[in-house]
Amino acid sequence: MNHFTQGPLTPILAYVMSCMGSMLGLRLTAQANASTGSSRARWLIGAAISIGGTGIWVMHFIAMMGFDVEGTEIRYDVPLTVASALVAVVVVGAGLFLVSFGRAKALALLGGGLLTGLGVAAMHYMGMYAMNMSAHVTYDPVFVGASVVIAVVAATVALWFTLRVRRALAITGAALIMGVAVAGMHYTGMFGMSVQLHTASGHVAGADALSFLVPLMTVVSLITLTMLLMVILSPSQAEMQEDAELMARLEMRRQAAESAQTLRAPVPAGPPAQGRSQRGRPPQGLPEQGRPAHGRQERGRAAQGLNEQGRPEYGRPEYGAAPQTGGPLPRRTQAPYGRPQQHPRG
């Protein structure tokens, strides 16, 4: 049994893929932490595919490309291998959602780390069980337990990084650490594996690694590169914060302008008073009941001895009655400046 049939190529390539998947996943979780609603959920799903798909599953089977057992060929069970990839993505996604949306941060982190670590370990041994060979495979419980502990610790640290890491340099350092943890978990479990060949070698069922694993890993890698381009083209958290602050300032200016315009607007005049004036008196020409007082002004003038032009009318009782002499009344004419003048008859 040899774990490095391709030399250092397979472990180095597996570590690089693990670091790339972890780096992209941390970058996506940073975008998710700066988003809300459905956009946040989409970023977390992308992070689960990156960490679980590329950072863990692709790394595992690249390392398996360098594994060889002398005396038997190795083939892979296709449904079980695909199921192991789905398990990796689902458990990582569950941990990310639990930590991201959990209210109790410490409890959510520990629970998410335990769930994700056990899921990653299950993916690893499911992938190992998917190998078909003409041999009997056993595992050392000590190495199995150590690999599970490493998986749980690595998953908890990775989820902690998703909550704390924001800058590019910190994300790079965290991805390097996560790559070491994932590769360490894989090779710890592999070193606890023992193989006993069957005496009679027969036909081994399953798909060849080159015809099945290589195309599948290529598809997953292309999906990872596509998401990487999406992250590069999307605004960073600092840019999103600057845009939010700019929009807030513009909204405040708009509200201030609307308030100033409202204060400068003229107050509309009320409807004209009908029936009575402001002091409660009826308007001119209308009695208390609101009907026009026709002829009232003329009757008042007549009572005061005035004609229609407001001048005094002579011969009215106000100017005295005619003398009781029995003679004719004296003729009166209009003197200059409106004063009456008597002209006695000859």
Side-chain angles (χ1 to χ4, degrees):
M1 185 174 60
N2 188 1
H3 296 283
F4 307 103
T5 57
Q6 305 294 332
L9 176 63
T10 51
I12 292 176
L13 185 57
Y15 175 73
V16 170
M17 292 301 295
S18 181
C19 291
M20 287 183 58
S22 301
M23 186 182 303
L24 178 58
L26 292 175
R27 184 70 178 84
L28 290 171
T29 54
Q31 290 289 117
N33 294 330
S35 305
T36 56
S38 60
S39 178
R40 185 178 187 181
R42 288 194 296 269
W43 288 119
L44 290 177
I45 292 173
I49 296 174
S50 300
I51 297 176
T54 303
I56 297 175
W57 185 84
V58 171
M59 175 270 158
H60 170 81
F61 281 99
I62 287 179
M64 293 302 296
M65 298 291 291
F67 178 74
D68 184 39
V69 177
E70 186 178 356
T72 181
E73 60 178 349
I74 300 175
R75 292 181 177 271
Y76 292 90
D77 187 339
V78 174
L80 198 58
T81 303
V82 174
S84 65
L86 295 178
V87 168
V89 173
V90 169
V91 295
V92 172
L96 291 175
F97 274 86
L98 184 61
V99 170
S100 181
F101 291 95
R103 295 181 179 179
K105 295 298 183 181
L107 184 60
L109 178 62
L110 294 177
L114 180 61
L115 174 64
T116 305
L118 293 177
V120 169
M123 182 279 308
H124 170 78
Y125 288 102
M126 187 181 296
M128 298 291 293
Y129 188 74
M131 292 189 304
N132 295 328
M133 64 183 73
S134 182
H136 178 68
V137 180
T138 58
Y139 296 93
D140 188 342
V142 175
F143 284 95
V144 171
S147 65
V148 172
V149 171
I150 293 174
V152 172
V153 173
T156 305
V157 173
L159 293 178
W160 184 85
F161 282 148
T162 62
L163 295 175
R164 298 292 186 268
V165 175
R166 296 291 184 273
R167 300 183 180 277
L169 184 60
I171 289 176
T172 303
L176 294 176
I177 297 174
M178 291 173 63
V180 171
V182 173
M185 181 272 297
H186 171 80
Y187 283 105
T188 299
M190 290 293 293
F191 285 140
M193 179 181 179
S194 298
V195 178
Q196 295 180 356
L197 296 175
H198 293 161
T199 56
S201 60
H203 175 70
V204 178
D208 183 66
L210 293 178
S211 61
F212 167 63
L213 287 179
V214 172
L216 187 59
M217 290 187 294
T218 303
V219 171
V220 176
S221 301
L222 289 177
I223 294 175
T224 303
L225 291 176
T226 302
M227 290 188 293
L228 179 61
L229 291 176
M230 292 174 59
V231 171
I232 293 175
L233 296 177
S234 62
S236 62
Q237 184 177 3
E239 293 174 348
M240 294 173 65
Q241 185 176 0
E242 291 178 359
D243 292 341
E245 293 176 356
L246 178 60
M247 294 300 296
R249 289 196 297 267
L250 292 177
E251 181 66 20
M252 292 177 60
R253 291 182 181 179
R254 186 186 66 81
Q255 294 178 358
E258 290 181 355
S259 300
Q261 186 177 3
T262 304
L263 294 176
R264 289 196 301 266
V267 180
Q274 297 179 357
R276 288 186 177 271
S277 61
Q278 296 179 355
R279 295 183 180 180
R281 298 178 181 178
Q284 186 177 2
L286 295 178
E288 293 287 342
Q289 293 77 11
R291 291 176 297 196
H294 299 295
R296 178 170 292 185
Q297 186 175 3
E298 287 76 6
R299 290 197 299 270
R301 290 175 178 174
Q304 298 177 7
L306 303 176
N307 57 13
E308 293 182 358
Q309 289 76 22
R311 296 176 180 176
E313 294 183 358
Y314 303 104
R316 304 291 293 241
E318 290 80 2
Y319 293 94
Q324 303 294 327
T325 57
L329 293 174
R331 186 179 64 182
R332 299 182 182 184
T333 62
Q334 184 72 25
Y337 304 103
R339 298 178 60 88
Q341 182 177 3
Q342 295 183 0
H343 298 277
R345 294 185 180 180

